[in-house]
Amino acid sequence: MAILITGIAGFVGVNLAQELLRHGQRIFGIDNLSRGTLENLTGLNGHANFAFAEVDITNLPNFRSTIRQFELTENITEIWHLAANSDIPAGFNDSTVDLKDTFMTTFNTLLVMKEFGIKSLAFASSSAIYGDHGDVPLVENLGPLLPISNYGAMKLASEAAISVAAESYLSSAFIFRFPNVIGIPATHGVMLDFVRKLKSKPRELDVLGNGSQQKGYLHVEELVDAMLFIRNHSQEKVSVYNIGADDEGVTVKFIAETTVKAVSPQAQIVYGEGNKGWVGDVPKFVYSIDKLKKLGWTPKLGSEQAVLKAIQQIVTQESLR
Ligand SMILES: NC(=O)c1ccc[n+]([C@@H]2O[C@H](COP(=O)([O-])OP(=O)(O)OC[C@H]3O[C@@H](n4cnc5c(N)ncnc54)[C@H](O)[C@@H]3O)[C@@H](O)[C@H]2O)c1
């Protein structure tokens, strides 16, 4: 029996695959390499239990024939659907980006699951489905859900489509809503952005927004641990869980200062205006992981520790390029 991971060559996909392979699981991976890279798969390639295909899953015939190909060796019993557009601002310049890569990837994943009789789905959703609720804690049953980015809207639409599929042909669905996940191999995000900016301009760091944005950060190793914990312990037919840090998070100013210290201590930090990094950025939110804690999982690292660990890892990653 095998697990199929979409978006495997991206940041979360690689970490998830490594952990599942460690547990002796057979893994098939798909990615169109639009954001993920073959380099990210180096640690997985060559593993006897791993196979990869470069496919755009919005192309349904190609998606189908890849599954048929994979199933010649092993039946797929579960899909972890991680493929999406991870560049939120890109969705404002062109809203078809999220329609295609964030929603149609989910829609097609559900279609192939129905056709091939694959009954269990795990889905990487996002805190972006909630929208901006200020100081109101984001709990799983909060409403109304009014996302402020196309990315958030298409993740919410994906959740809705999964709920419909669970009514008829899925036996279980796990919807993980996570906010900011950090670590390596970093493909995007504020830390990678800062490290790269400082490498090309060591005397100055331009920050999007005034630095007051405050968010919780979870290390990817903990995210993977939490997702597997929920998959193994939750009994609901459609399990919806927030996964995040168990604190109020850290500011962008803290991240900028820590990155400067690590990469280019002489650099001056130049802040922008307003408390948003970009249109659609939720500047501050209170994330509740009470439901997850009740199930029995709590993160070991706080946001600050996770940020310090990830910055060191990203600095090393970038120095090896
Ligand atoms: N990293 C975070 O902080 C975060 C937060 C919330 C939700 N998520 C979600 O978790 C998942 C993984 O995120 P990530 O950080 O690893 O992003 P990522 O960009 O590193 O990985 C996504 C992968 O999907 C692939 N992909 C995109 N469109 C595709 C398509 N049409 N066909 C096949 N592959 C396609 C990309 O090439 C990429 O490798 C995504 O669904 C993302 O929305 C991530």
Side-chain angles (χ1 to χ4, degrees):
M1 291 188 296
I3 291 179
L4 175 75
I5 301 177
T6 73
I8 195 161
F11 165 51
V12 176
V14 169
N15 282 280
L16 173 67
Q18 275 165 348
E19 188 59 18
L20 288 170
L21 285 170
R22 258 198 294 275
H23 284 92
Q25 186 67 56
R26 180 121 171 90
I27 299 294
F28 296 138
I30 291 186
D31 203 294
N32 67 352
L33 303 180
S34 58
R35 302 199 162 269
T37 62
L38 286 179
E39 195 191 337
N40 287 347
L41 297 177
T42 317
L44 306 175
N45 283 330
H47 198 295
N49 275 343
F50 178 68
F52 171 73
E54 181 182 340
V55 177
D56 187 325
I57 63 172
T58 60
N59 182 322
L60 199 50
N62 287 355
F63 195 3
R64 274 192 196 110
S65 65
T66 306
I67 292 192
R68 241 177 254 125
Q69 204 60 33
F70 280 147
E71 289 211 317
L72 290 177
T73 53
E74 200 92 49
N75 271 349
I76 297 167
T77 52
E78 191 174 324
I79 295 187
W80 286 63
H81 172 46
L82 308 182
N85 162 48
S86 53
D87 181 354
I88 300 181
F92 281 94
N93 301 330
D94 176 2
S95 26
T96 62
V97 170
D98 282 301
L99 175 65
K100 175 181 172 288
D101 287 333
T102 307
F103 182 69
M104 285 310 296
T105 54
T106 310
F107 191 77
N108 284 355
T109 297
L110 291 169
L111 284 182
V112 297
M113 290 184 81
K114 185 175 186 188
E115 285 174 29
F116 289 83
I118 304 166
K119 294 190 179 306
S120 180
L121 174 68
F123 173 61
S125 190
S126 163
S127 59
I129 58 114
Y130 289 108
D132 192 350
H133 292 265
D135 290 335
V136 178
L138 304 181
V139 289
E140 286 84 348
N141 57 2
L142 183 74
L145 296 176
L146 298 170
I148 59 169
S149 60
N150 285 313
Y151 168 80
M154 294 299 101
K155 284 286 185 193
L156 183 56
S158 293
E159 289 194 5
I162 291 167
S163 164
V164 176
E167 175 67 15
S168 55
Y169 57 90
L170 294 184
S171 60
S172 59
F174 300 91
I175 294 175
F176 309 116
R177 294 174 176 166
F178 35 95
N180 299 286
V181 185
I182 53 179
I184 48 170
T187 54
H188 56 96
V190 60
M191 282 154 227
L192 182 64
D193 189 33
F194 285 172
V195 171
R196 287 190 174 164
K197 276 180 175 170
L198 284 165
K199 291 249 162 197
S200 70
K201 232 171 138 192
R203 300 211 155 266
E204 189 177 297
L205 175 65
D206 290 323
V207 174
L208 300 176
N210 61 16
S212 68
Q213 305 99 297
Q214 184 169 338
K215 300 169 189 187
Y217 291 87
L218 184 71
H219 197 274
V220 68
E221 290 161 14
E222 298 224 79
L223 172 80
V224 168
D225 194 49
M227 293 194 296
L228 293 174
F229 185 89
I230 295 168
R231 199 262 316 246
N232 294 336
H233 290 88
S234 177
Q235 300 295 327
E236 294 168 86
K237 174 138 193 188
V238 180
S239 300
V240 181
Y241 278 87
N242 287 347
I243 307 176
D246 193 22
D247 55 34
E248 291 190 351
V250 297
T251 61
V252 168
K253 183 168 181 283
F254 171 79
I255 297 173
E257 287 171 354
T258 312
T259 314
V260 161
K261 237 184 260 166
V263 181
S264 182
Q266 76 279 19
Q268 198 197 342
I269 303 174
V270 181
Y271 291 101
E273 283 176 13
N275 67 351
K276 286 192 177 201
W278 57 85
V279 183
D281 185 20
V282 180
K284 188 175 178 185
F285 53 85
V286 185
Y287 212 55
S288 164
I289 59 160
D290 288 352
K291 186 178 175 194
L292 179 54
K293 288 202 293 189
K294 214 174 262 175
L295 189 70
W297 191 91
T298 311
K300 293 186 186 74
L301 298 182
S303 291
E304 193 174 318
Q305 291 165 297
V307 164
L308 294 173
K309 179 172 174 176
I311 288 176
Q312 284 310 327
Q313 291 178 317
I314 294 169
V315 169
T316 308
Q317 165 186 303
E318 292 303 291
S319 67
L320 296 174
R321 273 178 203 275

